[in-house]
Amino acid sequence: MTQWLAQIGELPVLLLMGALGLVMLFDAVPLLGVLVPGDVAILAAVGVGRPSTGLATFAAVMVGCLAGWSLSFLVGRRYAEQLRHSRIGDWIGEARWVAAEGILRRGGGRMMVVAPFLPVFNALLPLAAGGLRMSYRRFLGCATLGAAAWAGLYLALGTAARSIAGLLPGEPSPLVITMGVGVVLASVVLLGARRRLFALGG
């Protein structure tokens, strides 16, 4: 696995960032987002990439996230009720639909700023926002801030973890250290952040 990812790191930057953007798009789509670990993908991109790819990684994450969320928003605007009472809605669960709508009603568009930090809801909130007839302009503005904060956080954590790998003896794999340390750091940071974010929505 490590060797395979290392080979990916040798791909041209545009191709690598295109793949990352596609992963982010899938991560932002309900149901698919549960199967695609977007945070791990960013850490892997930092681990196998080069220091100069930081800005490209940030841009790829932003574009992929906003594309996926916009798609979910537009689908929610037109088909939210049909989806909610379909098999897809059953898979998502009525309790999650109600919770997503409650978060948006209490917090409004600002909750899209924190959506990336809420597992499962990061993909469901755009769909619910469309169903609640939120202004797309407002949605996009808040979603852009949220995507930037999420991408920036994971890029910073991944870069820090990669730097730590360079200081360790024995020339350990930058990819393994970046993903391992990055996941630990992210878990600590996001655990506290999610508690505050749910309090904000409550």
Side-chain angles (χ1 to χ4, degrees), residues 5 37-47 150 153-162 164 174-192 194:
L5 287 171
D39 45 4
V40 174
I42 299 174
L43 293 172
V46 175
W150 188 66
L153 173 64
Y154 270 96
L155 186 58
L157 291 174
T159 301
R162 186 180 176 89
I164 292 174
L175 172 62
V176 173
I177 299 299
T178 298
M179 294 186 67
V181 176
V183 167
V184 171
L185 290 176
S187 298
V188 173
V189 172
L190 296 183
L191 181 60
R194 284 166 183 163

Side-chain angles (χ1 to χ4, degrees), residues 80-81 84 94-108 111 121 124-125 127-129 131-132:
E81 283 304 311
R84 188 168 183 168
E94 179 63 18
R96 291 194 180 100
W97 279 97
V98 172
E101 290 180 341
I103 289 173
L104 289 171
R105 287 195 175 101
R106 290 190 297 269
M111 294 312 297
F121 289 103
L124 184 54
L125 284 176
L127 194 64
L132 292 176

Side-chain angles (χ1 to χ4, degrees), residues 72-164:
S72 292
F73 178 89
L74 295 175
V75 169
R77 175 63 61 88
R78 296 195 61 179
Y79 306 110
E81 283 304 311
Q82 294 94 315
L83 288 174
R84 188 168 183 168
H85 298 96
S86 68
R87 180 170 296 181
I88 293 177
D90 292 337
W91 289 336
I92 293 175
E94 179 63 18
R96 291 194 180 100
W97 279 97
V98 172
E101 290 180 341
I103 289 173
L104 289 171
R105 287 195 175 101
R106 290 190 297 269
R110 65 178 178 168
M111 294 312 297
M112 283 309 308
V113 177
V114 302
F117 302 95
L118 304 176
V120 180
F121 289 103
N122 67 319
L124 184 54
L125 284 176
L127 194 64
L132 292 176
R133 318 304 291 181
M134 181 184 293
S135 162
Y136 179 69
R137 181 177 179 179
R138 183 184 184 191
F139 167 83
L140 185 61
C142 294
T144 299
L145 292 176
W150 188 66
L153 173 64
Y154 270 96
L155 186 58
L157 291 174
T159 301
R162 186 180 176 89
S163 299
I164 292 174

Side-chain angles (χ1 to χ4, degrees), residues 7-20 49-50 53 56:
Q7 292 176 348
I8 292 179
E10 300 301 321
L11 294 174
V13 173
L14 286 178
L15 185 58
L16 182 60
M17 293 304 108
L20 178 60
R50 296 167 286 282
T53 62

